[in-house]
Amino acid sequence: MKYVLVTGGVVSGLGKGVTASSIGVVLKACGLRVTSIKIDPYLNTDAGTMSPFEHGEVFVLDDGGEVDLDLGNYERFLDVTLTRDNNITTGKIFQSVIEKERRGDYLGKTVQVVPHITDAIKNWVESVAVIPVDGKEGPADVCVIELGGTVGDIESMPFIEALRQLSFSVGHENFCLIHVSLIPVLGVVGEQKTKPTQHSVRELRALGLTPHLLACRSAQPLLENTKEKLSQFCHVPAANILNIHDVPNIWHIPLLLMNQNGHHAILKQLNLLSIATPPDLQDWTKMAETYDNLTNSVRIAMVGKYVGLTDSYLSVVKALLHACIACSLKPSIDWIAASDLEDDSAKLTPEAHAAAWETLRNAACVLVPGGFGDRGVRGMILAAKYARENNIPYLGICLGMQISVIEFARSALGMERANSEEFDAQTADRVVMFMPEGSTTHMGSTMRLGSRKTFFQTPDCITAKLYGNPQYVDERHRHRYEVNPDVIGVLEERGLKFVGKDETRKRMEILELPSHPFYIGVQFHPEFKSRPRRPSPLFLGFILAATGKLEGYLNNHQNGV
Ligand code: GLN
């Protein structure tokens, strides 16, 4: 196994994750099989309990792992399926060591950060690196490890030490360290400053790690003399100093790395030049350029709770982008804070209320994404009602599906108090309820997580046709509440059809409103499996519906065109 370690210096938020996944893309384009590991030096065992406000979206894997959103970037860029173990956190490592200590595995010993924690990190990395993630047999050729945080952080120290030891044990030819750093410019036409990078490389060296390549983030391309200075003071050959300047979209980054011959420097360090092919990124180039040149756009209203930080819905945004590109459209996402649509807001913040409604009315389609807690729920219900009554394409994901059930029960069935147990535990009209999969007495991990099958109840529904009429689809889940099976009969009588269910037929997975051009709710999260050149069928259908092209597409699709 060959390792590429990506560390970061100077500041956080440099786009280290995108850089690391782009490195993977270029290596894959050279004919190598690539896997990846993301290290998050926080104490949470996983990202499941972290707030999307603070940390961005929680990404969900096939195996139900709730992980850092960077794993989503890896899956999308490298087209792989990762496991929960591909995300290492301090919490996971400490938990495993403490469990071993309690079991008596270290009997008689003092259990310490070095060597016990560092050994656990090394073992974890080495055992996860060999898990195949691309559907082929046997381990990948290269494992890209991204170390979260910034070099010098107290919490990343055990990882740095473990990786230093790993670099030593796997040998020179099997380890390549790429340090991502920032080259700031002071003033409007100021000089490109190398000092912060010099300091962070020095810090890395003090910890026993030597960077083989530098990936320098900057607003403008690096000047020759900046590169020379960096080479001289950081002790890295000029050919190994890559520059990632600002680009119109992130798909340009692998191209940027390739055009600077970054793959050559990495392959040389890893002694892979003889087996690697010249990089083939033709499709990738086409994709990046198509995106730059899109002119027509489609307005999508995203009605959610966490609209301040767009990373909170990163995969939804990416899935919309994939679908839009397949339709040669530029997504124009209008973020609407659900609470601004509510009646209370008309009194308290009338301007925000008016603006939110104006935005909603100008959108070609409405998406209500997943979420937790009751903030903004009334606004989401109003958005679903507006889309339903005005024949505007609606896609409700997870919470968005539950919202449409509540709305429909209230409006069409006259169940005024219809609600989810999540928002009103005492409601008499419990149309969405807690349905734990396992034990009802066990309180921990009561979420239904990961890949689960949804069986189509009829081939005659939009969703089945979009997916190409399979018997079932496998999509990822992350929820606790579900549509109450007791109300299905009355909802269906009034026209809301549950066209996808789980294998027990008790859990509702997909709803459609046949009297509406596109009104679909799904209990799963189709966004997690969307890929740049393989958009999620549901998102594709949603965008097609928003632009009046769905019918034509489905007709062609059915005829096998
Ligand atoms: N809060 C809802 C539930 O737990 C929806 C979850 C989600 O949208 N991911 O079922």
Side-chain angles (χ1 to χ4, degrees):
M1 176 61 57
K2 310 266 181 184
Y3 295 95
V4 174
L5 171 62
V6 179
T7 57
V10 184
V11 288
S12 59
L14 278 177
K16 201 160 17 91
V18 174
T19 308
S21 20
S22 300
I23 289 165
V25 169
V26 183
L27 294 177
K28 193 178 163 194
C30 293
L32 298 168
R33 286 176 59 211
V34 181
T35 180
S36 75
I37 295 177
K38 167 84 199 284
I39 298 177
D40 284 308
Y42 45 68
L43 273 164
N44 306 54
T45 43
D46 61 35
T49 54
M50 295 168 86
S51 160
F53 279 125
E54 222 179 89
H55 202 78
E57 133 192 303
V58 176
F59 192 78
V60 182
L61 299 170
D62 261 358
D63 68 5
E66 298 174 276
V67 295
D68 192 86
L69 53 78
D70 276 319
L71 275 85
N73 276 332
Y74 289 112
E75 284 206 345
R76 284 185 286 266
F77 267 50
L78 299 173
D79 201 6
V80 292
T81 304
L82 300 172
T83 72
R84 68 176 75 228
D85 289 342
N86 290 71
N87 193 189
I88 308 181
T89 67
T90 301
K92 280 185 189 167
I93 296 287
F94 272 72
Q95 195 173 39
S96 74
V97 170
I98 290 168
E99 264 167 25
K100 275 170 88 177
E101 185 273 333
R102 290 290 82 186
R103 252 198 336 253
D105 289 11
Y106 309 111
L107 226 46
K109 296 253 168 34
T110 308
V111 184
Q112 292 176 297
V113 172
V114 182
H116 301 99
I117 294 291
T118 47
D119 279 352
I121 297 169
K122 258 191 308 179
N123 293 340
W124 194 303
V125 167
E126 289 189 292
S127 59
V128 172
V130 294
I131 300 174
V133 293
D134 55 1
K136 298 190 184 127
E137 296 218 345
D141 302 304
V142 180
C143 176
V144 177
I145 307 171
E146 176 195 348
L147 176 60
T150 307
V151 168
D153 292 347
I154 291 177
E155 45 186 22
S156 59
M157 288 303 179
F159 291 103
I160 295 264
E161 170 57 14
L163 293 163
R164 183 195 66 74
Q165 291 181 22
L166 181 80
S167 75
F168 185 64
S169 65
V170 298
H172 188 67
E173 288 186 350
N174 297 318
F175 193 84
C176 177
L177 171 54
I178 304 177
H179 189 57
V180 185
S181 181
L182 176 73
I183 306 291
V185 166
L186 295 185
V188 190
V189 277
E191 203 187 338
Q192 292 179 328
K193 296 289 188 191
T194 63
K195 193 72 83 175
T197 304
Q198 292 181 39
H199 280 298
S200 81
V201 168
R202 187 180 306 160
E203 180 121 41
L204 205 51
R205 281 182 193 287
L207 298 168
L209 283 167
T210 306
H212 302 103
L213 278 88
L214 295 181
C216 302
R217 290 279 292 111
S218 60
Q220 298 298 326
L222 279 195
L223 301 172
E224 246 352 274
N225 78 334
T226 313
K227 259 192 185 175
E228 274 164 31
K229 235 176 170 178
L230 282 167
S231 173
Q232 200 173 1
F233 295 122
C234 300
H235 204 77
V236 173
N240 290 12
I241 298 179
L242 308 176
N243 177 210
I244 302 175
H245 53 79
D246 290 353
V247 283
N249 72 66
I250 58 169
W251 290 337
H252 281 282
I253 310 233
L255 306 175
L256 211 56
L257 296 173
M258 176 184 73
N259 294 338
Q260 297 173 50
N261 252 332
H263 55 286
H264 189 270
I266 300 169
L267 295 171
K268 192 167 155 204
Q269 170 61 32
L270 295 175
N271 197 19
L272 283 171
L273 279 172
S274 58
I275 68 157
T277 58
D280 175 7
L281 281 176
Q282 270 182 18
D283 281 358
W284 197 276
T285 310
K286 215 187 290 163
M287 187 168 81
E289 285 172 0
T290 308
Y291 183 13
D292 290 344
N293 298 324
L294 293 174
T295 43
N296 295 338
S297 63
V298 53
R299 297 189 76 159
I300 306 151
M302 272 270 264
V303 184
K305 172 178 164 187
Y306 319 103
V307 291
L309 177 69
T310 52
D311 267 6
S312 309
Y313 302 109
L314 188 69
S315 294
V316 175
V317 172
K318 297 291 175 196
L320 285 170
L321 175 64
H322 303 158
C324 282
I325 289 197
C327 301
S328 300
L329 290 166
K330 204 195 205 100
S332 162
I333 300 179
D334 290 324
W335 298 91
I336 301 176
S339 48
D340 286 347
L341 294 170
E342 295 172 2
D343 296 344
D344 285 354
S345 145
K347 286 177 225 122
L348 299 171
T349 47
E351 275 167 28
H353 179 262
W357 275 98
E358 161 101 12
T359 312
L360 187 65
R361 289 198 187 96
N362 284 329
C365 52
V366 178
L367 196 157
V368 177
F372 293 83
D374 64 357
R375 171 128 69 94
V377 159
R378 279 174 302 161
M380 294 175 205
I381 292 175
L382 289 170
K385 184 179 169 75
Y386 164 81
R388 185 177 60 80
E389 291 179 343
N390 293 285
N391 285 339
I392 309 291
Y394 174 88
L395 179 60
I397 297 175
C398 207
L399 175 64
M401 167 180 175
Q402 300 171 0
I403 291 290
S404 53
V405 169
I406 299 170
E407 192 282 311
F408 193 83
R410 288 186 188 177
S411 302
L413 300 180
M415 294 165 82
E416 271 166 41
R417 294 189 50 205
N419 216 333
S420 163
E421 224 179 319
E422 183 179 6
F423 316 130
D424 179 1
Q426 311 307 330
T427 180
D429 293 324
R430 201 172 50 149
V431 292
V432 176
M433 62 185 284
F434 182 37
M435 274 173 60
E437 247 181 351
S439 135
T440 40
T441 51
H442 190 259
M443 288 310 285
S445 44
T446 43
M447 278 231 246
R448 194 163 169 254
L449 283 168
S451 201
R452 295 281 195 288
K453 287 192 172 76
T454 294
F455 293 86
F456 289 108
Q457 306 300 301
T458 162
D460 191 26
C461 61
I462 295 177
T463 318
K465 290 178 194 159
L466 282 170
Y467 275 98
N469 271 322
Q471 271 192 314
Y472 67 85
V473 286
D474 239 324
E475 293 278 13
R476 298 179 184 173
H477 294 71
R478 182 174 187 246
H479 65 113
R480 193 170 278 122
Y481 297 90
E482 288 171 71
V483 184
N484 182 348
D486 293 343
V487 296
I488 303 307
V490 280
L491 289 169
E492 292 214 320
E493 250 167 56
R494 295 306 299 263
L496 193 66
K497 301 291 181 202
F498 292 88
V499 297
K501 301 182 184 176
D502 80 334
E503 69 283 354
T504 67
R505 307 286 186 269
K506 291 212 176 74
R507 297 175 192 277
M508 302 304 124
E509 292 279 4
I510 307 171
L511 66 78
E512 285 189 19
L513 193 59
S515 57
H516 187 287
F518 189 101
Y519 189 87
I520 296 182
V522 283
Q523 192 57 76
F524 50 77
H525 291 265
E527 68 272 24
F528 293 135
K529 282 172 74 166
S530 182
R531 297 283 186 273
R533 277 178 301 267
R534 241 182 18 254
S536 155
L538 268 166
F539 279 82
L540 183 63
F542 179 55
I543 297 300
L544 288 166
T547 48
K549 298 203 176 96
L550 180 65
E551 217 172 317
Y553 173 85
L554 289 181
N555 288 338
N556 288 340
H557 214 60
Q558 270 178 322
N559 300 334
V561 180

